Amino acid sequence: MRYIYILLSLSMLFACQTDASLDPKTKTEILLSTTWQIQEITASGYLNGTVYQRGRTAEGSQYDMSKIRLTFYANGTCLAIDNTGNNTASGKWKLINNDSQLQISETNYFVLDGIGEINSLLKTEFVFSGTRNYKSAYVNASVKMVPAP
């Protein structure tokens, strides 16, 4: 009887653990594993400093980006929800240059379309940076995204 109790305990222990083989390992798998939301944006150029930081008051952030979401799909498409939470844009995405850069295209949003450097891509954060033209001036930005709840 004692052995049955031990076997049941061990089987319950293993059943409660997550399957490590399901954890995303590659950059593509990590991008596909969640919907991403913006945690923080810092910029230089036309805009300077911390443009947005989740949890800061409106006085502390220049723009409200709390509703922005970005979802990547295995078929090479992506879906973005804008800062109002009401409008969506779909486009295409791919990793390029040995997975060191992310290219997004065909969304018709100048902020999204283009190539960004992947600075960090983990299950808990996705940081990328790049340059975009905004109001006839260049903005260099770094965007930190985290999984959306």
Side-chain angles (χ1 to χ4, degrees):
M1 186 68 150
R2 184 175 181 194
Y3 294 110
I4 293 174
Y5 177 73
I6 291 171
L7 287 174
L8 283 174
S9 297
L10 287 174
S11 66
M12 288 177 62
L13 175 69
F14 289 118
C16 292
Q17 293 178 351
T18 59
D19 184 354
S21 66
L22 298 178
D23 285 341
K25 293 174 180 58
T26 67
K27 288 183 178 180
T28 297
E29 289 172 343
I30 293 170
L31 281 175
L32 297 174
S33 69
T34 190
T35 293
W36 298 92
Q37 69 181 9
I38 295 176
Q39 179 67 29
E40 182 177 29
I41 297 176
T42 56
S44 63
Y46 179 82
L47 300 171
N48 283 300
T50 301
V51 177
Y52 171 77
Q53 185 175 39
R54 183 168 296 285
R56 286 176 75 180
T57 63
E59 296 82 26
S61 290
Q62 296 179 37
Y63 303 94
D64 179 12
M65 300 186 185
S66 61
K67 296 178 183 176
I68 294 175
R69 301 290 186 272
L70 186 56
T71 305
F72 298 94
Y73 298 102
N75 65 0
T77 62
C78 57
L79 180 70
I81 299 173
D82 76 355
N83 61 321
T84 68
N86 298 320
N87 299 311
T88 60
S90 58
K92 295 182 179 181
W93 74 275
K94 64 181 172 179
L95 295 174
I96 59 174
N97 295 328
N98 295 317
D99 294 352
S100 66
Q101 296 177 315
L102 172 66
Q103 180 179 18
I104 297 178
S105 60
E106 299 180 26
T107 67
N108 294 319
Y109 282 105
F110 75 94
V111 174
L112 285 176
D113 286 346
I115 296 173
E117 298 292 325
I118 297 174
N119 305 108
S120 174
L121 184 50
L122 309 168
K123 292 184 291 187
T124 56
E125 75 173 22
F126 170 33
V127 181
F128 61 97
S129 59
T131 302
R132 297 293 185 269
N133 190 334
Y134 180 70
K135 295 188 177 182
S136 300
Y138 284 99
V139 176
N140 299 309
S142 176
V143 179
K144 178 179 180 181
M145 301 189 89
V146 296

